[in-house]
């Protein structure tokens, strides 16, 4: 077990550097999932452009070490993160307390750093846009969410903070469309910047045959909305059809959602496939696990703003089967080795996986060709330059 790292609290003596070249980035977590990894690329681009980048997060975690390795500084700064548990009568008291503390610590941090720009990564930390506007600091809002199926009032709540931004960027046309449903002018103002997604250092072609069974991989949070149980059910259907396959689950649940992993484990035992389903937990680096797989599934039940996991699989030259919904359609568009199936339909997912196994010779070749296309489409260096240019342009405009 790693020793716990100590980070400076924003309300204490956080370090400062020369005024005038600081970007304060606010982010809701310190994990290493989709928007966390995109934050790494944004911070890298700003550091390369000569900015002093300070990232404010409410808790410590594996993201911290990665940010510091890229030249950013990290401070702990309390801020409420919008979750369903807070948007309820029972959670209201906690939301009020977190907001009061966040206002104090956020204001102190801005006073100390005197940033030229506040860059808010995701719409789930709505206090930061308010603080930036009150302190008259130019604000950039980076939208990674797209809750199209959510109630209208919730979509409006999530989009409101972006109205305070001087510049809005989003990771997909789908995300921009969801913003526009709440506030048409946000849809007109938002700029599309496709996620920069780093690929593996060494790409390898998928193995020649799958005669010993198809190796299926899921990478991401273990949560109901991600449809991990749908992938497990699909493996059960393949088993019924006499198709040999295994499933590796790479990821962990949100704190408080451990019950879902327990349900998954019960589901696996109930289907009699315990010998072919493996729970790996969270891993910082996923490339070796993807390279060992034959096909990656992204079985999300609900809207996804984009689909970094799908892109990572394509970059590794592995076929992908994803839900035919939202940003996942954009992430998989144009790739011959990618298939989409109705969200939540385990039988259709199983049928798509069977097609991968049946047509393996052509799928592995298509996947190899697709990897080069994805590398050009999501080149991190291009993404980094675009983000840095947007920040420079908003200041010039100001």
């Amino acid at each position: 077990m790693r020793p716990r790292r100590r980070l400076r609290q924003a309300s204490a003596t956080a370090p400062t550097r020369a005024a005038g070249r600081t970007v304060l980035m606010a982010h809701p977590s310190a994990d290493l999932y989709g928007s966390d990894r995109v934050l790494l690329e944004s911070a890298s681009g700003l550091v390369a452009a000569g900015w002093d980048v300070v990232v404010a997060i409410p808790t410590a975690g594996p993201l911290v070490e990665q940010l510091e390795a890229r030249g950013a500084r990290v401070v702990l700064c309390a801020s409420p993160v919008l979750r369903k548990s807070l948007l309820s009568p029972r959670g209201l008291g906690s939301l009020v307390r977190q907001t009061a503390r966040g206002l104090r610590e956020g204001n102190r941090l801005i006073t100390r750093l005197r940033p030229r720009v506040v860059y808010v990564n995701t719409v789930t930390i709505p206090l930061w846009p308010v603080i930036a506007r009150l302190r008259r600091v130019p604000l950039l809002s980076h939208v990674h969410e797209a809750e199209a199926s959510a109630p209208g009032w919730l979509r409006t709540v999530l989009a409101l903070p972006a109205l305070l931004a001087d510049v809005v960027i989003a990771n997909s046309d789908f995300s921009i469309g969801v913003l526009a449903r709440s506030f048409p002018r946000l849809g007109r103002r938002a700029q599309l910047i496709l996620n920069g997604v780093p690929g593996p250092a060494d790409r390898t072609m998928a193995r020649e045959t799958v005669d010993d069974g198809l190796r299926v991989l899921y990478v991401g949070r273990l949560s109901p909305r991600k449809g991990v149980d749908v992938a497990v059910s699909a493996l059960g259907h393949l088993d019924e059809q006499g198709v040999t396959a295994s499933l590796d689950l790479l990821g962990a649940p949100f704190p408080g959602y451990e019950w879902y992993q327990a349900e998954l484990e019960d589901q696996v035992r109930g289907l009699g496939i315990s010998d072919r389903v493996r729970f790996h937990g969270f891993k910082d680096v996923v490339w070796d696990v993807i390279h060992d797989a034959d096909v990656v599934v992204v079985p999300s039940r609900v809207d996804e703003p984009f689909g970094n996991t799908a892109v990572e699989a394509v970059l590794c030259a592995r076929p992908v089967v994803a839900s035919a919904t939202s940003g996942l359609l954009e992430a998989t568009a144009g790739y011959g080795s990618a298939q989409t199936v109705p969200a939540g339909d385990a039988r259709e997912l199983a049928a798509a996986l069977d097609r991968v196994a049946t047509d393996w010779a052509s799928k592995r070749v298509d996947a190899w060709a697709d990897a080069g296309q994805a590398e050009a489409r999501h080149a991190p260096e291009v993404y980094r330059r675009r983000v840095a240019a947007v920040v420079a342009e908003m200041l010039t405009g100001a």
Side-chain angles (χ1 to χ4, degrees):
M1 182 179 294
R2 293 182 185 175
R4 184 173 296 178
R5 303 177 73 246
R6 294 181 68 104
L7 290 177
R8 291 182 182 270
Q9 293 286 344
S11 56
T13 54
T16 58
R17 296 184 187 178
R21 291 295 296 173
T22 298
V23 173
L24 174 59
M25 306 184 79
H27 188 66
S29 71
D31 297 316
L32 281 173
Y33 290 100
S35 62
D36 311 303
R37 293 185 180 275
V38 176
L39 175 75
L40 281 173
E41 299 307 321
S42 301
S44 296
L46 293 170
V47 169
W51 289 96
D52 173 24
V53 176
V54 180
V55 182
I57 54 175
T59 59
L63 178 65
V64 174
E65 186 176 348
Q66 296 279 345
L67 283 166
E68 291 177 342
R70 299 189 183 209
R73 296 184 287 149
V74 181
V75 293
L76 291 183
C77 186
S79 182
V81 180
L82 287 186
R83 304 202 190 283
K84 288 183 180 179
S85 59
L86 291 180
L87 299 176
S88 66
R90 179 176 293 183
L92 184 60
S94 177
L95 179 60
V96 170
R97 289 191 297 274
Q98 291 183 36
T99 299
R101 182 182 174 193
L103 277 170
R104 289 195 305 271
E105 294 193 10
N107 267 302
R108 288 172 183 171
L109 186 58
I110 285 184
T111 298
R112 182 171 295 279
L113 294 174
R114 290 177 291 163
R116 291 290 306 281
V117 176
V118 171
Y119 183 129
V120 179
N121 200 54
T122 86
V123 299
T124 62
I125 42 177
L127 187 59
W128 275 109
V130 174
I131 295 172
R133 179 56 62 196
L134 290 173
R135 298 298 301 270
R136 299 183 180 180
V137 181
L139 171 65
L140 186 154
S141 178
H142 193 160
V143 178
H144 298 267
E145 296 78 13
E147 300 285 345
S149 57
W153 68 267
L154 180 56
R155 290 198 309 272
T156 299
V157 167
L158 290 172
L160 268 172
L163 287 174
L164 300 176
D166 298 279
V167 173
V168 178
I169 60 177
N171 60 354
S172 67
D173 284 322
F174 181 74
S175 295
I176 293 174
V178 173
L179 282 177
R181 287 175 62 181
S182 298
F183 300 103
R185 60 176 170 152
L186 274 181
R188 293 190 295 269
R189 288 177 51 210
Q191 304 178 42
L192 171 65
I193 301 184
L194 289 177
N195 288 348
V197 186
D202 297 303
R203 186 162 61 238
T204 60
M205 197 169 189
R207 58 189 182 136
E208 291 187 13
T209 70
V210 293
D211 294 341
D212 61 344
L214 190 68
R215 301 172 186 168
V216 184
L217 173 66
Y218 167 84
V219 181
R221 288 280 191 191
L222 301 187
S223 74
R225 62 183 289 129
K226 295 294 186 180
V228 190
D229 55 291
V230 179
V232 173
S233 294
L235 197 74
H237 291 310
L238 290 174
D239 197 49
E240 293 170 359
Q241 298 162 19
V243 179
T244 303
S246 62
L247 175 63
D248 290 278
L249 303 176
L250 184 61
F254 272 116
Y257 279 74
E258 291 80 7
W259 59 267
Y260 182 66
Q261 180 167 342
E263 285 190 358
L264 289 173
E265 292 167 351
D266 288 343
Q267 181 187 11
V268 169
R269 284 191 291 270
L271 292 171
I273 53 177
S274 297
D275 58 328
R276 278 168 285 134
V277 179
R278 292 174 289 271
F279 291 81
H280 294 270
F282 174 79
K283 288 187 68 173
D284 288 7
V285 181
V286 300
W287 307 122
D288 57 337
V289 183
I290 298 178
H291 277 140
D292 286 341
D294 298 320
V295 56
V296 175
V297 292
V298 190
S300 298
R301 274 196 175 88
V302 296
D303 302 323
E304 295 281 359
F306 190 61
N308 274 21
T309 301
V311 174
E312 288 172 348
V314 176
L315 287 167
C316 280
R318 296 298 180 268
V320 177
V321 182
S323 295
T325 181
S326 56
L328 289 173
L329 290 169
E330 288 182 58
T332 56
Y335 300 127
S337 62
Q339 300 179 72
T340 57
V341 298
D345 194 325
R347 291 190 180 277
E348 286 294 330
L349 179 57
L353 291 171
D354 190 21
R355 288 192 291 272
V356 172
T358 302
D359 197 21
W360 180 247
S362 62
K363 287 295 183 186
R364 67 188 290 266
V365 172
D366 288 343
W368 184 255
D370 291 340
Q373 184 181 346
E375 196 170 51
R377 187 183 297 178
H378 297 282
E381 58 273 16
V382 175
Y383 171 85
R384 294 172 185 176
R385 287 197 298 268
R386 289 202 64 188
V387 167
V390 167
V391 171
E393 288 166 8
M394 66 186 285
L395 290 177
T396 301

